Every structure is written in structure tokens, then in C-alpha cells.
Amino acid sequence: MGNIDYAKLFRDKRLDIAIGVGYEFAGEKPDFSNELNDIITVLLGNGFRKTAKSSSDLYYDTYYLRKRYYLTATKQLVDVDIYVYITSSKKKSPASTFASFLATKEIVIYSGHGRIGIGPDFDDEKSSKENFIVGLNTVAHANNQLKLQNSPHDKALRIKYVKGMHSRKDNDLESITKKNLFRENLYQVWFFNACSSIDYLDEIRGKWSVKDKMQKFGLVRTETGKIKSKANLVVFGTKQSVRSDATPILKQILAGKSMDDIVKTMQAYEKLFSPDNNSNNIYFSD
């Protein structure tokens, strides 16, 4: 299981946490979960305060706190400046903002609809404008070098969403690579708390080629052209449909908990809302 290296995260005594809240989970509908409000409540309850107004407020809100952590590996107490950035459908260009989060922030959390392995979505399912596309539209997909679906989701439902993407011919994860934005020396942890985000794993990690004895076709590539290593990119995801809620993940990170703790917490959280689900293998970290 992938783990969180807090010593790497805190080496500059600063931690950037970026959160994207998917459409329908930001209070758009009065009878639906308002996850955005819950996240802000957690932040304020932990002493965070919203930063002064700036031009970036159009794209995301920023919260700040200085917090002391104890690093068990080095037996040191460190004061860390924590910045939390939040975007959602309520902000301008949330999909592009989320792309910048993935390229530049240490911890990135997406929580919301996953559109059956296509990727995060920041607007209505009938629109493709604010989708962050991961699982479509690359040469490797066209050549069947990357799987379109690893999860047990209904294929007919995926086809429905794919048809809805007919106006999009791009892949947002690949676009970041084409702009040379990913950096190997930036230690990152990505949380995709969306239905069946295991369907993104091939795109992120690439696939091992027995013929060429190397990883190929991955979309997360650095300035050297190599796929970003597991040493500097840890990925958390889901293997099936789940309840969207980033607040337990955020609470565990703020408490300095391990990835194993987070996976166990989310497993228990999911069973709380889906007691008939007997699987003990809903979440993973790679």
C-alpha cells in the first residue's frame, strides 16, 4: 500500500492541500449533500481562517492555519503553514483550476462524481465543458494500450457518459504533460474519492510492457519524459461506487494519519452508509 511521507511534505515547513468538490456536492441542490459546506465547517472548526480577498477568489477559496506536527521518524516538532485551496462548480473554470492543482499542489483531493471512469466533473452530467477528462481521448486508448474500464461498473452506463463527451477530443491529464507542468521533485499525494477511480490508474501509472521492459502509455510524465515515480506520487482511489465525502480524508490528513489509517477510516465510513456492502476492499492506495 502506498503511504504518506509527512517528512517530505513538511520539509519546507509548508503544506498545500487542494480540494475539488464535484458538481451536485457544492450545495447546488437543496435536497442534496452539501459537501463543500461540510469541508469549510471542518476547516473553521480546526482553526483555519479564510485569507484576504484576492483575484484568485474567482477560481478558488484559500484557508490558512499554522499547525504543529510531531514527526515520529525524526522525533522533531515542526510548525507547518497549511494552505487549503477549494474549487467547485460555484467558481470560474473549476476543471482548469483542478488541473493546476494536480500540477502544483502537494495533496490534491477530488470528491464527487467520477462519471464511470471518465474523470472528475464540475458541471451537470449533460455538459462536458467542466469535465476533467482522464479515461478517454488518447492514442493509447485508441490503440487499446490502456484499458477504458477496470471497475465492475455497468458498461452501458459508461457508454452513455462517453456519448455525452462527443464534443471533447482532449484528455486533461495528458494536456498537463504536454504543457510540461508535472515535476518529479514535487512530492504529491492524490485522492480520487469518486466512483470507481481505479479506472484512472492505468492513465496515471502507465502499463508495464514486457516487450520493452519499461512502463509505457502513462499520462503523468515529467520534464524528462518519464512517468512520475511512485516515490513522489502516491494515489488513493476507489474500486466501486462510493459515497462522495472528502471530510473524513481531510480530518485524517490534518491529524497526520497514515494512508493505512485513511483507507481503514473510509472503509468504515462507506459501510456506515452501505451496511449491505460486504466488501472489505473498496478503497486502495498505490
Side-chain angles (χ1 to χ4, degrees):
M1 176 180 287
N3 201 10
I4 303 175
D5 190 334
Y6 284 97
K8 281 187 177 181
L9 288 173
F10 297 160
R11 58 192 168 192
D12 59 354
K13 297 185 179 179
R14 173 174 173 146
L15 176 61
D16 289 318
I17 302 173
I19 304 174
V21 179
Y23 182 74
E24 289 188 335
F25 296 92
E28 295 92 343
K29 298 181 179 180
D31 58 343
F32 206 78
S33 168
N34 191 335
E35 187 178 340
L36 175 62
N37 186 62
D38 293 342
I39 290 169
I40 293 170
T41 299
V42 168
L43 292 174
L44 297 178
N46 277 273
F48 282 82
R49 291 295 176 264
K50 196 172 182 180
T51 59
K53 290 185 178 180
S54 72
S55 59
S56 66
D57 290 355
L58 285 172
Y59 302 93
Y60 56 84
D61 290 323
T62 305
Y63 292 82
Y64 168 78
L65 174 69
R66 176 168 288 179
K67 183 177 173 63
R68 179 163 289 185
Y69 285 88
Y70 178 75
L71 298 181
T72 55
T74 59
K75 297 183 179 179
Q76 287 181 302
L77 283 171
V78 292
D79 288 324
V80 179
D81 290 321
I82 307 176
Y83 292 86
V84 179
Y85 313 89
I86 310 174
T87 194
S88 69
S89 64
K90 296 182 177 296
K91 294 296 182 178
K92 183 179 179 179
S93 304
S96 294
T97 300
F98 187 73
S100 72
F101 287 169
L102 286 176
T104 63
K105 306 306 182 189
E106 293 164 301
I107 292 181
V108 183
I109 303 171
Y110 172 73
S111 197
H113 291 301
R115 304 305 183 203
I116 319 301
I118 294 172
D121 190 5
F122 296 96
D123 62 2
D124 187 270
E125 66 175 343
K126 296 178 182 178
S127 167
S128 65
K129 182 175 181 293
E130 293 298 336
N131 286 69
F132 184 86
I133 297 177
V134 181
L136 290 176
N137 302 340
T138 67
V139 173
H141 286 130
N143 294 338
N144 294 317
Q145 292 157 333
L146 288 177
K147 290 182 181 179
L148 290 175
Q149 187 172 353
N150 291 296
S151 68
H153 257 307
D154 188 322
K155 285 182 171 56
L157 189 57
R158 179 183 170 87
I159 290 170
K160 167 195 166 184
Y161 287 127
V162 170
K163 285 182 177 179
M165 298 292 106
H166 69 277
S167 63
R168 294 282 302 272
K169 304 300 180 185
D170 56 334
N171 181 293
D172 292 293
L173 200 62
E174 191 172 49
S175 295
I176 300 175
T177 285
K178 288 178 178 178
K179 294 175 183 176
N180 201 27
L181 297 179
F182 287 124
R183 291 180 290 135
E184 178 61 40
N185 64 355
L186 176 63
Y187 178 74
Q188 295 182 285
V189 187
W190 290 355
F191 292 86
F192 288 102
N193 188 40
C195 292
S196 302
S197 53
I198 194 171
D199 286 342
Y200 317 151
L201 198 58
D202 280 354
E203 282 78 8
I204 294 170
R205 295 299 190 201
K207 293 186 70 177
W208 182 260
S209 169
V210 175
K211 178 182 177 181
D212 299 322
K213 296 182 179 179
M214 63 183 295
Q215 277 186 300
K216 301 181 71 175
F217 314 121
L219 307 181
V220 183
R221 294 179 177 270
T222 65
E223 63 276 8
T224 65
K226 293 182 179 180
I227 295 171
K228 186 160 179 171
S229 71
K230 288 187 177 184
N232 284 322
L233 177 58
V234 180
V235 181
F236 165 100
T238 65
K239 294 185 177 181
Q240 59 184 61
S241 296
V242 295
R243 177 185 175 90
S244 173
D245 194 344
T247 54
I249 296 173
L250 179 60
K251 288 177 181 178
Q252 294 279 291
I253 292 169
L254 294 177
K257 299 294 185 180
S258 70
M259 183 63 81
D260 188 51
D261 290 329
I262 294 173
V263 169
K264 288 178 180 177
T265 295
M266 295 307 293
Q267 189 78 24
Y269 184 81
E270 184 64 27
K271 286 204 168 185
L272 180 66
F273 293 97
S274 304
D276 294 334
N277 189 337
N278 295 319
S279 174
N280 291 313
N281 198 26
I282 299 171
Y283 294 90
F284 71 90
S285 176
D286 177 70

